[in-house]
Amino acid sequence: EPEVTQTPSHQVTQMGQEVILRCVPISNHLYFYWYRQILGQKVEFLVSFYNNEISEKSEIFDDQFSVERPDGSNFTLKIRSTKLEDSAMYFCASRDRGPKNEQYFGPGTRLTVT
Amino acid sequence: QKEVEQDPGPLSVPEGAIVSLNCTYSNSAFQYFMWYRQYSRKGPELLMYTYSSGNKEDGRFTAQVDKSSKYISLFIRDSQPSDSATYLCAMPFSGGYNKLIFGAGTRLAVHP
């Protein structure tokens, strides 16, 4: 069964460093998302991506964040200068075209900023 | 008022019990309703997906939507220890690219 994959599973970085989180969405899916979940809190939307551009972003997704689909399979989230409060689980999700809204999530990357 | 509200629990039940998990929402424009299951430190796994009001059954799981009350439920019959997880309700925000709005999640423990 196709699934969303993410790497790395755990990333530890120092405050101010840049990190890139990687995702491989399900191959025939067209819509891609990043969400994050701070420990003990809700899963919250960061950004959606369709047709090679950002389609929607949340207030959290400020200038420190960027997304890219560098080739036909990968989807990345970059945080330029990490802050302590960026420590969270980051989930990538994807969905197919059409009226169905079923989004499939990857296993997540746990980001720890020290 | 929060868009999606869900009692975080924890909910502890004996094996074999019927479990009822619930969410309320405020936005009457929500048309699709999802339940995800999340094991500790893992990604949300899509469990059930329903459109508009009514019931949908899949094995031991039944999802119920009452749009007039803005209330959705997930029932688990014959609960098993492997059902121990956090259950998240989620609704896509229509009018955009369907970002999901999640509830806080209810932590369920099924003990043998």
Side-chain angles (χ1 to χ4, degrees):
Chain A
E1 187 175 316
E3 58 183 17
V4 178
T5 59
Q6 288 185 245
T7 53
S9 57
H10 187 198
Q11 172 93 49
V12 181
T13 190
Q14 288 191 324
M15 200 165 53
Q17 295 297 304
E18 173 183 289
V19 293
I20 297 176
L21 311 183
R22 292 184 165 79
C23 168
V24 179
I26 294 172
S27 64
N28 60 337
H29 284 187
L30 298 176
Y31 298 83
F32 313 112
Y33 305 83
W34 283 101
Y35 293 82
R36 81 171 184 191
Q37 187 177 31
I38 294 170
L39 190 62
Q41 297 188 23
K42 284 187 181 188
V43 176
E44 49 188 354
F45 168 78
L46 289 178
V47 66
S48 59
F49 192 86
Y50 171 72
N51 202 23
N52 280 320
E53 60 183 21
I54 290 173
S55 45
E56 189 174 0
K57 58 185 180 179
S58 71
E59 290 174 356
I60 305 164
F61 195 89
D62 61 22
D63 292 345
Q64 294 300 312
F65 291 87
S66 62
V67 288
E68 202 176 41
R69 189 153 161 83
D71 53 43
S73 58
N74 291 283
F75 180 49
T76 62
L77 174 69
K78 184 195 291 187
I79 309 175
R80 254 180 283 282
S81 178
T82 49
K83 306 184 191 73
L84 293 175
E85 54 265 38
D86 293 328
S87 295
M89 285 288 285
Y90 288 81
F91 297 110
C92 172
S94 68
R95 74 171 179 95
D96 201 351
R97 71 168 83 233
K100 287 190 173 182
N101 288 285
E102 299 171 31
Q103 291 183 27
Y104 295 89
F105 282 72
T109 293
R110 182 154 62 103
L111 177 65
T112 302
V113 183
T114 61
Chain B
Q1 184 182 13
K2 292 181 185 175
E3 281 198 285
V4 179
E5 300 216 42
Q6 187 177 10
D7 186 339
L11 185 61
S12 181
V13 301
E15 184 174 355
I18 296 174
V19 175
S20 171
L21 305 164
N22 310 295
C23 285
T24 59
Y25 62 94
S26 57
N27 190 338
S28 56
F30 287 145
Q31 297 279 352
Y32 298 86
F33 305 91
M34 296 161 182
W35 286 96
Y36 284 84
R37 178 173 61 195
Q38 186 178 28
Y39 292 111
S40 182
R41 294 190 179 267
K42 301 291 184 188
E45 171 195 354
L46 183 61
L47 206 54
M48 297 283 286
Y49 167 87
T50 53
Y51 171 68
S52 198
S53 283
N55 290 2
K56 182 176 181 179
E57 194 172 313
D58 184 1
R60 296 185 295 111
F61 298 90
T62 300
Q64 198 171 73
V65 175
D66 180 351
K67 289 192 73 181
S68 62
S69 304
K70 299 193 183 74
Y71 190 86
I72 68 170
S73 301
L74 178 71
F75 298 97
I76 308 174
R77 286 185 300 283
D78 187 25
S79 55
Q80 304 294 309
S82 58
D83 294 328
S84 300
T86 297
Y87 291 80
L88 311 169
C89 62
M91 292 147 209
F93 189 83
S94 56
Y97 286 82
N98 298 316
K99 66 182 178 186
L100 290 178
I101 310 297
F102 280 89
T106 300
R107 195 150 48 97
L108 171 68
V110 182
H111 51 87

